[in-house]
Amino acid sequence: MPSNKSVSDAPIVQFTNCRILRSHQLQREDLWVREGKILNPEKLFFDEKGSADIQLDCKDSIIAPGFIDVQINGGFGVDFSLATDDFKSGIDLVSQKILSHGVTSFCPTLVTSPPSVYHQILPQISIRNGGAHGAGVLAGAHLEGPFISKEKKGAHPEHCLRTFEEGAFQDLLATYGSLDRVRIVTLAPEMKRSSEVIGELTKQGICVSLGHSVANLSQAEEAVQHGATFITHLFNAMLPFHHRDPGIVGLLTSDKIPSGRRVFYGMISDGIHTNPAALRIAHRAHPKGLVLVTDAIAGMGLAPGRHTLGQQVVEIDGLNTYIAGNVTLFPGTKTLSGSVATMDTCVRHFQEATGCSVETALEAASLHPAQLLGIEHKKGTLNYDSDADFLMLNDSLYVQATYIAGEEVWRQEVLGM
């Protein structure tokens, strides 16, 4: 067969003996990769008369798009909301460690903080592709707060919460300092002047998410009509579902969503934040909008004990995370404060709790977050010409290897080999 060199000097890698997640189905076919992109084998064979330079036997693994985590506060001892002049080293550590959990791209998330923290940290966030150094930083940060409800602040420090004054959008700019490295902003839509802020953020290409809120359904619908497209950790830190006014949860089946618009919603599928029945209700009501998030904090990957979440100290007990001292201050209550679950754990729990297909579980952590961010043409799928960020998994959805731009960046060690 003629050489491939007439088109490109880059080697062509053929992944064989695998089941590829493509077009919402696991398909038994090979995966072809060149120069970090997924190739169309028909074009390769018939237009280029090309062939593979390297063949890799996947031993009947599932090949799925790399996971995308749009809400991760830190991990492995790193807290993205702690002001430091060496933010890069923390990002580097987390991005390297999450490769073993199948995450190939993420949005570092900052919880409610004083303006000085945003001003110090945001300029240090570099939007970058993933690679051997770690998962890519997707389009920018997720800023969760401080424009949220005091009643539903959760683990966010009350003294740092803010409202929109007459300046509205200018208030937000003054708080954050800049939006250059921001991709998602979580706010409470019931706040005065929130609609104009949502509209302005949307114009600038920033995803607006509704969360930590006491909004009723009509307020949530108005926010969506002004451009909001996401719900931050559905069910958590919002009014509970009520049959006469379902609140933000009602967006999942609302008939007031603008034509052509899809509302996505994040869920922390760790077995702690959301009862399996609630996961099933949400998934069955609006399956194409479900986005799995970890909401992971600095304690992810570490032993139980005390860790930080921005301005707060949190206590980790197994998979439970609470504001430290909360039980003493408010007897009988415990405020959940993020998660220590990894993304692959969330995918497995979601699949088990809902009984959904393997394909559906994998897409909730890959395709759907990519669609939310408007990058599904290059991330979150294994379509031809998309970025070759993918995972090899076994039938129980445990990650065996992680690839970014077609290069292996992590592999599970096999004992005795």
Side-chain angles (χ1 to χ4, degrees), residues 248-272:
I248 291 176
V249 178
L251 288 175
L252 272 60
T253 57
S254 171
D255 58 359
K256 301 290 195 303
I257 307 300
S259 178
R261 178 92 55 81
R262 185 188 305 179
V263 173
F264 293 88
Y265 59 97
M267 295 207 76
I268 310 168
S269 175
D270 61 354
I272 303 294

Side-chain angles (χ1 to χ4, degrees), residues 161-177:
L161 300 182
R162 301 175 75 88
T163 57
F164 297 121
E165 304 304 327
E166 287 188 18
F169 187 66
Q170 293 305 314
D171 294 339
L172 180 140
L173 281 178
T175 299
Y176 296 148

Side-chain angles (χ1 to χ4, degrees), residues 129-158:
N129 290 324
H133 59 274
V137 177
L138 265 183
H142 177 172
L143 304 183
E144 188 186 0
F147 300 97
I148 58 175
S149 162
K150 182 168 65 175
E151 292 82 2
K152 291 294 179 181
K153 65 183 184 299
H156 292 237
E158 186 171 332

Side-chain angles (χ1 to χ4, degrees), residues 68 105 129 138 366 370 375-381 386-387 389:
I68 299 170
S105 303
N129 290 324
L138 265 183
S366 55
I375 57 171
E376 68 271 23
H377 61 289
K378 59 180 181 177
K379 302 284 187 188
T381 75
S386 63
D387 293 349
D389 297 354

Side-chain angles (χ1 to χ4, degrees), residues 62-85:
I62 293 170
I63 292 188
F67 299 149
I68 299 170
D69 195 350
V70 300
Q71 187 174 5
I72 173 172
N73 309 291
F76 315 99
V78 176
D79 185 343
F80 295 150
S81 301
L82 280 187
T84 172
D85 291 326

Side-chain angles (χ1 to χ4, degrees), residues 26-328:
L26 287 177
Q27 304 181 17
R28 187 163 287 283
E29 57 184 78
D30 295 348
L31 186 74
W32 299 74
V33 175
R34 179 174 60 195
E35 293 185 313
K37 300 289 185 181
I38 295 172
L39 283 179
N40 181 341
E42 287 194 5
K43 286 187 177 181
L44 174 65
F45 300 152
F46 298 113
D47 296 350
E48 301 182 28
K49 312 297 183 189
S51 61
D53 298 292
I54 303 167
Q55 285 187 326
L56 295 176
D57 184 349
C58 300
K59 300 178 180 176
D60 203 36
S61 295
I62 293 170
I63 292 188
F67 299 149
I68 299 170
D69 195 350
V70 300
Q71 187 174 5
I72 173 172
N73 309 291
F76 315 99
V78 176
D79 185 343
F80 295 150
S81 301
L82 280 187
T84 172
D85 291 326
D86 189 20
F87 187 77
K88 181 180 182 299
S89 64
I91 281 278
D92 288 348
L93 176 65
V94 174
S95 65
Q96 179 66 44
K97 292 281 192 180
I98 58 180
L99 293 175
S100 65
H101 301 293
V103 178
T104 54
S105 303
F106 69 107
C107 294
T109 304
L110 278 68
V111 296
T112 294
S113 304
S116 60
V117 170
Y118 299 114
H119 295 184
Q120 185 172 0
I121 292 178
L122 288 178
Q124 297 184 67
I125 292 179
S126 298
I127 298 167
R128 66 190 191 192
N129 290 324
H133 59 274
V137 177
L138 265 183
H142 177 172
L143 304 183
E144 188 186 0
F147 300 97
I148 58 175
S149 162
K150 182 168 65 175
E151 292 82 2
K152 291 294 179 181
K153 65 183 184 299
H156 292 237
E158 186 171 332
H159 70 278
C160 294
L161 300 182
R162 301 175 75 88
T163 57
F164 297 121
E165 304 304 327
E166 287 188 18
F169 187 66
Q170 293 305 314
D171 294 339
L172 180 140
L173 281 178
T175 299
Y176 296 148
S178 169
L179 294 173
D180 292 344
R181 294 170 175 85
V182 177
R183 189 62 187 88
I184 304 174
V185 171
T186 292
L187 54 77
E190 72 274 13
M191 297 180 73
K192 290 181 179 178
R193 305 180 181 87
S194 66
S195 291
E196 58 185 276
V197 172
I198 293 168
E200 191 59 43
L201 285 170
T202 303
K203 281 183 196 172
Q204 298 201 21
I206 293 171
C207 168
V208 176
S209 188
L210 312 180
H212 288 277
S213 165
V214 293
N216 59 34
L217 178 56
S218 64
Q219 289 169 326
E221 288 171 335
E222 183 181 356
V224 171
Q225 287 155 11
H226 280 90
T229 54
F230 195 38
I231 303 170
T232 296
H233 44 53
L234 186 78
F235 296 123
N236 296 114
M238 61 186 61
L239 291 178
F241 179 90
H242 190 280
H243 59 283
R244 283 195 292 274
D245 191 333
I248 291 176
V249 178
L251 288 175
L252 272 60
T253 57
S254 171
D255 58 359
K256 301 290 195 303
I257 307 300
S259 178
R261 178 92 55 81
R262 185 188 305 179
V263 173
F264 293 88
Y265 59 97
M267 295 207 76
I268 310 168
S269 175
D270 61 354
I272 303 294
H273 279 75
T274 311
N275 186 282
L279 268 176
R280 289 191 287 273
I281 288 170
H283 172 247
R284 292 173 188 176
H286 185 27
K288 292 184 178 179
L290 196 150
V291 174
L292 292 177
V293 299
T294 61
D295 198 20
I297 64 171
M300 178 180 67
L302 301 181
R306 292 200 165 195
H307 302 280
T308 64
L309 177 59
Q311 310 297 303
Q312 307 271 44
V313 176
V314 300
E315 190 88 40
I316 297 177
D317 178 12
L319 287 177
N320 295 283
T321 63
Y322 306 112
I323 297 177
N326 185 247
V327 180
T328 304

